[in-house]
Amino acid sequence: MIIQAKSLKRLVDAILKQGGSSDEEAQVVADHLIRSNLAGHDSHGVGMLPTYLRMLQTDLLKPNQVPELFKSDGSIMMFDGKRGYGQAVGKIAMEKAIEKCRESGLVLMTLRNTHHLGRIGTYGEQSIAAGMVSLHFVNVTDHTPLVAPFRGSDARFSTNPICLAMPGSEKQPPVLLDMATSRIALGKARVAFNKGEALKEGLLIDHQGQSSTDPAVIAGYIFPEREENPPLGALTPLGDYKGYGLAMFCELLGGLLSGGRTIQPEHERQNSIINNMFSIIVDPGKLVDVPWMQHEVEAIAAHAKASPPANQEEPVLIPGEPELISLNERLAKGIPLDDASWEQILVVGEALGLKREAMLNLM
């Protein structure tokens, strides 16, 4: 089915409010989720609501939290998210870091103990909107690992995303790299599972460490209550040892230096999603002349895109352009949502006390 973004946002906003969020928080989280769908990252969009419901029901996700600045030292800012909605807590922490960066030119900001931050590219977009450059390294804790290390046969890490963001110019859109350090995010496997589709070779391994294309091998991570789940497999690292190495540094930077924790097994796991983030925000105007920077961004982007495409139907794109293309298409045509995901969202609303008819009337 195809749903217009405004209609879907009304529904998501109502569900979040019913789950205890204030009007402001519900709007921020709903905006973030819908923006993820619009950008083509359905793995981090409205399909996350069933997971959030499980966390709310077990008090592992706490609505209406404000990040606590527990340490401030020069250009260093360290926040604790208090298990709040990461989309809301992360937005506030970034706003404070950007405000400080306008004065100092450089900020190292960490955020620990926050529930799922969502699509990390959103925080890169925040810095871009302020004319800032940013780098983000995130780890994921408090649940069973999802991703096998290079040469390993079972999961030891999570999808540990990174994001790098650079402002553009009037001629060139911003450059935004937003990626998991696994070959795919867990949510992309959830989307394939709900659609009944196989995944490409090399993205998954089964419980014996053998390559698999069946997303059911990791269904136990997504739907733990499902009785017919096969033994747990794992996602595979992006670029073999390269993605594995980046995932390790997400643990060391995002997990360790934030004062949060890494995914190593000494720490309790409550089967929720806790993110820790290590971010560097830079005012490029403190380093170089901004018009010259903009020219260089335009020139290097044009240089890359001038490469003749190997496939004429797939031109060279700059990081961030696939999301812009998806955004424009989905704003015009609507957001595609499979039947299983749609039903799961309605079930979430019903579990929180909303009537199905009332939810459908919002559409």
Side-chain angles (χ1 to χ4, degrees), residues 139-158:
N139 85 325
V140 192
T141 66
D142 211 33
H143 67 68
T144 306
L146 308 171
V147 184
F150 178 56
R151 296 181 176 175
S153 62
D154 67 356
R156 299 289 161 144
F157 296 95
S158 193

Side-chain angles (χ1 to χ4, degrees), residues 44 51 83 101 202 210 237 320 346-347:
H44 289 66
T51 299
R83 282 191 174 269
C101 191
Q210 300 302 305
L346 295 177
V347 168

Side-chain angles (χ1 to χ4, degrees), residues 125-341:
E125 289 170 346
Q126 256 188 280
S127 66
I128 286 169
M132 306 289 182
V133 175
S134 63
L135 302 84
H136 310 266
F137 299 83
V138 180
N139 85 325
V140 192
T141 66
D142 211 33
H143 67 68
T144 306
L146 308 171
V147 184
F150 178 56
R151 296 181 176 175
S153 62
D154 67 356
R156 299 289 161 144
F157 296 95
S158 193
T159 52
N160 291 8
I162 64 173
C163 174
L164 310 176
M166 170 71 74
S169 68
E170 291 184 2
K171 298 179 181 178
Q172 172 59 45
V175 183
L176 181 72
L177 177 65
D178 176 20
M179 54 177 258
T181 51
S182 54
R183 280 191 168 93
I184 59 170
L186 178 65
K188 293 190 186 299
R190 182 197 73 235
V191 171
F193 179 84
N194 281 341
K195 291 181 177 180
E197 296 177 351
L199 289 164
K200 293 180 181 179
E201 192 74 34
L203 303 180
L204 305 172
I205 56 175
D206 64 19
H207 67 289
Q208 296 179 323
Q210 300 302 305
S211 181
S212 174
T213 61
D214 184 1
V217 302
I218 56 172
Y221 297 119
I222 310 164
F223 306 112
E225 70 283 355
R226 186 173 172 266
E227 294 181 358
E228 60 270 33
N229 289 330
L232 286 174
L235 301 172
T236 56
L238 176 70
D240 297 330
Y241 74 92
K242 297 175 184 178
Y244 161 53
L246 287 171
M248 177 67 79
F249 266 96
C250 285
E251 294 291 334
L252 299 175
L253 298 175
L256 191 158
L257 292 186
S258 69
R261 57 179 58 176
T262 68
I263 203 169
Q264 58 97 347
E266 291 178 6
H267 301 304
E268 180 184 12
R269 295 171 182 165
Q270 301 182 78
N271 198 30
S272 77
I273 306 173
I274 291 296
N275 283 148
N276 305 293
M277 181 165 69
F278 176 99
S279 298
I280 298 172
I281 300 98
V282 182
D283 181 352
K286 303 286 187 179
L287 300 174
V288 296
D289 181 64
V290 171
W292 177 80
M293 177 191 80
Q294 292 173 336
H295 169 75
E296 284 294 303
V297 171
E298 292 170 2
I300 189 62
H303 176 64
K305 295 179 71 172
S307 177
N311 181 338
Q312 293 301 315
E313 296 182 358
E314 297 180 346
V316 175
L317 299 176
I318 300 303
E321 284 190 332
E323 287 85 351
L324 285 176
I325 292 170
S326 175
L327 176 68
N328 291 329
E329 288 181 351
R330 291 186 172 191
L331 280 174
K333 299 178 181 179
I335 295 171
L337 204 62
D338 63 87
D339 292 342
S341 295

Side-chain angles (χ1 to χ4, degrees), residues 7-154:
S7 298
L8 188 56
K9 185 188 169 187
R10 283 196 296 269
L11 174 61
V12 174
D13 187 79
I15 290 172
L16 291 166
K17 289 178 185 175
Q18 193 71 16
S21 290
S22 66
D23 289 355
E24 181 179 3
E25 179 175 86
Q27 179 175 339
V28 169
V29 178
D31 281 343
H32 187 124
L33 294 174
I34 298 297
R35 175 80 178 188
S36 297
N37 285 107
L38 288 171
H41 292 274
D42 297 320
S43 57
H44 289 66
V46 297
M48 289 300 303
L49 287 174
T51 299
Y52 295 171
L53 171 65
R54 289 197 297 270
M55 301 303 105
L56 286 169
Q57 290 174 329
T58 52
D59 200 31
L60 295 172
L61 166 57
K62 301 180 183 295
N64 306 315
Q65 299 300 311
V66 176
E68 175 191 353
L69 180 64
F70 68 90
K71 184 173 184 179
S72 179
D73 186 354
S75 291
I76 296 174
M77 305 177 76
M78 302 184 73
F79 292 95
D80 189 297
K82 299 186 287 188
R83 282 191 174 269
Y85 273 103
Q87 295 91 340
V89 169
K91 182 174 186 287
I92 295 170
M94 278 295 296
E95 287 171 346
K96 293 182 180 298
I98 289 169
E99 181 181 357
K100 188 175 185 68
C101 191
R102 295 190 194 281
E103 303 171 2
S104 63
L106 175 69
V107 168
L108 193 162
M109 185 272 283
T110 66
L111 174 61
R112 72 182 185 190
N113 190 35
T114 183
H115 197 263
H116 188 230
L117 280 163
R119 173 179 165 254
I120 306 305
T122 304
Y123 310 108
E125 289 170 346
Q126 256 188 280
S127 66
I128 286 169
M132 306 289 182
V133 175
S134 63
L135 302 84
H136 310 266
F137 299 83
V138 180
N139 85 325
V140 192
T141 66
D142 211 33
H143 67 68
T144 306
L146 308 171
V147 184
F150 178 56
R151 296 181 176 175
S153 62
D154 67 356

